Amino acid sequence: MLEGDQGYPYIIRREQDEIDRYGVSSMASTAQSLGYKAFGLHILSEFPLPELPRTDQPGILGSVQVVQADLSERWEAIPKITPNLGTAENEVMFIVKDTAVFSIQNGSKITVSPAAGADPISIRLFILGSCMGVLLMQKGILALHGSALVLDNKAYALVGRSGAGKSTLASYLMDQGHLLVSDDVIPVLVQNGDPLAVPGYPQQKLWQQSLDYLGMNSSAYRPLIKRETKFAIPVHDRFQAEPLPLAGIFELSVSQEGPVTIEEISGLERFHTLYNHTYQKAIVDRIGVREWHFGMLASFVNRLPVYRLTRPEQGFSAPEQMALIFETITQKVKEMDL
């Protein structure tokens, strides 16, 4: 936990302190890089990243530089896959209108070319999201799209389509005392066929509806993007900072009605579930890493129980979901002990 952490107001004070200290009213400083810890990486950034814990220690997955530079000529020259995405050997570039052009190279460097008047919060959102997802692929690290939490002293991932309720359930579990490992991007390090969940950083993203269900006042938090109703929730005191074995995956789905149910996914469907919930899945083929991706999933998919947790579309059912999850975990532990 960061000393003096008081949630969102602390984030704002820390961000302003870094801007004042390093003279980065334009967000980036060419004079000095700051060292941070996230996704198993030591991140040396010219951009203040106040969401992240500071560190000067090496990361278990290596280091990455985040720098600012003019990318206009490189963006024009790079072969385009879509109007907003380009790739060349060991480099992926993408552009976000009114925000920035981003370049990710060799799993070790992120270059940002901000648009005039761009919102620094939006730029950071893409640095810590899409850029990190691509960079982890370049480093040969699988990233799942979802939330990972500590349950029964191990990490479990919650995955599912947008609107399935991942963040709401994760936040409810945290309210019950369970720590967050990662939100949105879950790096998975595979060692001797055993998957390890690597922590992201101590922040959760919640929609307004989730805040309403959980009795949280949105005025206490900042929107992730201006005029949107998804908010950044600091969780420094509810964060698991060290890697843990990934012991299972719960895919959340929604039905029109009926009780909360759970079923184990087996066979080839288990592989497809992991594939479908890979972070930045859409670019796996486009950047030429399909063979690596399939091999990575195959290396541990049969060692990891995968379940489908289905909830009714209407109402707040997080308590029932939590009860079924722990019942399933307890039963699996008993089966393994026999």
Side-chain angles (χ1 to χ4, degrees), residues 219-241:
S219 65
Y221 308 105
R222 66 166 172 80
L224 284 167
I225 298 178
K226 290 179 179 179
R227 297 181 296 278
E228 284 203 2
T229 56
K230 196 171 191 179
F231 297 86
I233 315 297
V235 293
H236 297 286
D237 59 341
R238 295 180 290 171
F239 182 66
Q240 168 67 31

Side-chain angles (χ1 to χ4, degrees), residues 187-205:
V188 179
L189 179 62
V190 182
Q191 297 179 326
N192 299 319
D194 294 320
L196 195 69
V198 177
Y201 60 99
Q203 178 178 283
Q204 190 186 24
K205 305 176 184 71

